[in-house]
């Protein structure tokens, strides 16, 4: 039996076998470099942001079932890679709404953004411009249309519009966005009234903030947030004449539940660029909008922040693309937390995707560098997923690459006796089945 000869290691040999990582002295850079996923950025954001502001971003309506289902839908994707294809590169560029984007996702409109972190939309627009992707400013944004243009002077800026009770406010925003060179208008149609955002009510999240002993104690452990909040320009909302009350109260006072297709026609006559309808949640509305000749639709349930238990946009995608994909550009949002979610959406026919919370987690974690990090994480995940699927361009992705695993199917009422083994009986109780989709 052979015996391994042992000897004391020579110091020079030890140095050749191992290297010590140089310490990163900059705290923000250190924590952002350690974040490898959007979930990592979320964890940092939760540590660094007062509960009321974090929960406004992180939360949804009522029992938050819609956002849970939307994220689960992406987790229930099964990929089908090809083999023996050139995976040397992955071209993530695309054309959407008449212009280019370096990645198949852009930044979605988010309201009250500077409450999350003081750089707000300026950080988002600047990061989007640097990455070569579109940035969307919300009607309820906390940075003016003109300042967003200044932050992203050569990039693509989009504007999201609510039609409000005071129509002249909405019309004025449309005119300002057009004058500033924004190329696309998102007309949001899923907010006749505000959803029941219970976290905000419990936290007393309002403009201005409603302080209690609990909120004071919570914010006392995050003095940097208060320093930023108190030493930077006062929050301004270009679309609101009054800023007192909870977010839900502000929305209900500003929004008009009587908006109709007549309003769509008025806005369409005013807007010179591309027009997209955001908040579409069924096939019939998609077909009607296609017949009206709009440029695009966003399948969205508002990030689960309006009607809880609303349809999952990613589930709607294949059928909507099959019905109208040849006529209008179909986009999707809600629940995207990974570049693989983006790839799955493109494979099932989406022209483009939008990220909201993912960008805000980065913003809260580290301001503009945090947004840059969020985009970089998603970019790396998109590229890696494409290369592992062995596709070189987005156009090569197709339904053959994705299976949507199905947890629930609608129960068919009145068509079978109790206990019969129909498809609805098999899948309606929550079993996991396979649902293959095709365009």
């Amino acid at each position: 039996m052979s015996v391994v000869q042992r000897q004391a290691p020579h110091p020079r040999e030890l140095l050749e076998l191992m290297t010590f990582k140089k310490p990163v002295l900059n705290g923000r850079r250190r924590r952002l470099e350690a974040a490898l996923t959007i979930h990592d950025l979320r964890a940092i954001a939760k540590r660094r942001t007062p509960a009321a502001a974090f929960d406004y971003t992180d939360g949804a309506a009522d029992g938050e079932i819609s956002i849970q289902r939307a994220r689960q839908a992406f987790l229930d994707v099964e990929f089908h890679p090809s083999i023996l294809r050139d995976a040397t590169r992955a071209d993530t560029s695309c054309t959407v709404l008449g212009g280019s984007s370096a990645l198949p996702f852009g930044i979605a409109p988010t309201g009250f953004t500077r409450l999350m972190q003081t750089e707000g939309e300026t950080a988002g627009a600047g990061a989007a411009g640097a990455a070569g992707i579109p940035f969307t400013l919300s009607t309820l944004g906390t940075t003016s249309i003109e300042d967003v243009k200044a932050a992203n002077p050569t990039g693509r800026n989009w504007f999201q519009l609510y039609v409000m009770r005071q129509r002249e406010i909405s019309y004025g925003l449309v005119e300002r966005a057009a004058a500033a060179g924004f190329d696309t208008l998102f007309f949001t149609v899923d907010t006749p009234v505000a959803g029941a955002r219970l976290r905000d009510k419990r936290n007393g999240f309002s403009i201005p903030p409603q302080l209690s002993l609990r909120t004071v104690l919570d914010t006392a452990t995050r003095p940097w947030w208060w320093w930023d909040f108190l030493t930077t320009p006062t929050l301004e909302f270009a679309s609101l004449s009054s800023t007192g009350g909870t977010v839900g109260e502000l929305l209900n006072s500003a929004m008009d539940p009587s908006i109709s297709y007549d309003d769509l026609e008025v806005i369409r006559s005013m807007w010179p660029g591309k027009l997209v309808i955001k908040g579409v949640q069924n096939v019939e509305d998609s077909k009607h909008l296609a017949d009206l000749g709009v440029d695009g639709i966003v399948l969205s349930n508002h990030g689960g922040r309006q009607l809880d238990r609303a349809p999952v946009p990613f589930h709607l995608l294949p059928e909507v693309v099959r019905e109208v994909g040849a006529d209008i550009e179909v986009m999707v949002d809600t629940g995207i937390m990974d570049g693989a979610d983006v790839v799955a959406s493109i494979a099932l026919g989406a022209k483009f995707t939008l990220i909201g919370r993912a960008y805000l987690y980065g913003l809260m974690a580290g301001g503009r560098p945090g947004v840059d990090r969020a985009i970089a994480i998603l970019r790396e995940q998109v590229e890696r997923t494409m290369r592992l699927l062995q596709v070189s361009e987005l156009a090569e992705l197709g339904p053959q690459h994705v299976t949507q695993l199905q947890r629930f199917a609608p129960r068919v009422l009145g068509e079978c006796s109790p206990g019969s083994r129909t498809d609805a009986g098999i899948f309606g109780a929550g079993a996991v089945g396979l649902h293959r989709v095709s365009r």
Side-chain angles (χ1 to χ4, degrees):
M1 182 175 67
S2 62
V3 178
V4 176
Q5 293 183 351
R6 299 185 182 276
Q7 61 184 22
H10 192 280
R12 179 179 296 177
E13 293 175 345
L14 285 177
L15 291 175
E16 292 176 352
L17 292 173
M18 64 184 69
T19 58
F20 292 95
K21 183 179 179 180
K22 292 182 180 180
V24 179
L25 300 180
N26 184 294
R28 178 164 64 177
R29 180 182 167 192
R30 183 170 59 249
R31 64 177 178 266
L32 292 178
E33 287 181 353
L36 304 180
T37 68
I38 298 300
H39 292 281
D40 290 342
L41 290 176
R42 178 186 179 277
I44 298 169
K46 188 173 184 179
R47 291 198 305 267
R48 296 188 58 80
T49 310
F54 177 82
D55 282 348
Y56 171 73
T57 297
D58 194 61
D62 293 293
E64 304 190 1
I65 295 169
S66 285
I67 187 59
Q68 294 169 21
R69 288 179 177 173
R71 288 179 175 169
Q72 188 64 56
F74 285 116
L75 294 177
D76 287 343
V77 161
E78 180 180 84
F79 283 117
H80 304 283
S82 302
I83 61 170
L84 299 177
R85 295 175 183 241
D86 187 357
T88 305
R89 66 180 184 90
D91 182 357
T92 61
S93 64
C94 64
T95 299
V96 59
L97 297 169
S100 63
S101 176
L103 295 162
F105 63 86
I107 292 182
T110 60
F112 303 88
T113 310
R114 285 189 55 224
L115 278 174
M116 311 305 107
Q117 201 273 351
T118 189
E119 296 176 60
E121 292 90 354
T122 300
I133 65 176
F135 175 83
T136 315
L137 175 64
S138 169
T139 290
L140 300 180
T142 46
T143 302
S144 72
I145 290 169
E146 293 76 17
D147 285 347
V148 165
K149 177 64 176 180
N152 187 21
T154 60
R156 298 189 68 188
N157 293 307
W158 298 347
F159 186 73
Q160 175 269 333
L161 180 73
Y162 290 117
V163 172
M164 292 175 285
R165 296 176 189 272
Q166 294 179 276
R167 292 293 195 273
E168 63 273 12
I169 294 177
S170 298
Y171 299 159
L173 292 171
V174 171
E175 292 169 350
R176 284 172 58 191
F182 284 47
D183 65 76
T184 296
L185 185 73
F186 279 29
F187 181 15
T188 295
V189 295
D190 60 3
T191 315
V193 296
R197 301 174 190 180
L198 303 185
R199 288 203 220 180
D200 294 347
K201 291 183 179 180
R202 294 182 179 120
N203 287 326
F205 183 76
S206 64
I207 312 299
Q210 297 176 359
L211 299 180
S212 65
L213 178 60
R214 182 168 66 90
T215 56
V216 169
L217 291 174
D218 176 65
T219 54
T221 61
R222 298 166 177 85
W224 53 82
W225 187 91
W226 276 108
W227 173 255
D228 281 345
F229 182 75
L230 295 173
T231 60
T232 53
T234 304
L235 291 179
E236 294 182 357
F237 304 90
S239 61
L240 297 178
S241 58
S242 173
T243 58
T246 66
V247 174
E249 290 168 347
L250 291 172
L251 286 172
N252 284 334
S253 66
M255 303 310 161
D256 189 346
S258 70
I259 65 170
S260 67
Y261 281 98
D262 291 339
D263 291 294
L264 172 58
E265 285 305 306
V266 173
I267 298 300
R268 190 179 193 178
S269 68
M270 298 177 62
W271 181 250
K274 300 289 187 179
L275 180 62
V276 174
I277 311 304
K278 183 177 183 292
V280 181
Q281 299 181 65
N282 62 58
V283 176
E284 289 306 311
D285 285 338
S286 302
K287 292 166 68 175
H288 184 51
L289 291 167
D291 290 340
L292 291 177
V294 301
D295 298 294
I297 59 173
V298 181
L299 300 178
S300 171
N301 63 29
H302 215 106
R305 297 163 71 81
Q306 284 299 108
L307 175 64
D308 203 12
R309 309 176 198 237
V312 175
F314 181 64
H315 285 166
L316 287 172
L317 181 60
E319 187 176 1
V320 170
V321 169
R322 190 161 50 243
E323 292 291 334
V324 303
D327 303 314
I328 57 176
E329 298 189 29
V330 179
M331 290 164 275
V332 68
D333 73 10
T334 304
I336 294 173
M337 292 285 285
D338 192 289
D341 305 339
V342 174
V343 172
S345 299
I346 300 301
L348 294 188
K351 187 72 173 179
F352 203 64
T353 63
L354 296 165
I355 59 164
R357 287 181 177 91
Y359 134 66
L360 293 177
Y361 294 143
L363 177 68
M364 290 186 286
R368 163 65 191 273
V371 182
D372 291 331
R373 182 64 184 142
I375 294 172
I377 287 170
L378 292 170
R379 179 195 294 112
E380 292 164 6
Q381 292 170 337
V382 168
E383 291 177 349
R384 183 168 55 251
T385 303
M386 289 175 63
R387 294 178 72 181
L388 288 172
L389 288 171
Q390 300 193 29
V391 299
S392 298
E393 298 178 353
L394 294 173
E396 296 176 21
L397 290 167
Q400 71 275 12
H401 291 111
V402 175
T403 294
Q404 287 181 320
L405 301 180
Q406 183 170 286
R407 289 177 176 262
F408 297 97
R411 185 180 298 280
V412 180
L413 301 178
E415 295 186 14
C416 58
S417 59
S420 63
R421 291 183 56 82
T422 64
D423 287 345
I426 293 171
F427 297 123
V432 177
L434 294 180
H435 179 54
R436 293 304 299 271
V437 295
S438 60
R439 266 185 267 170

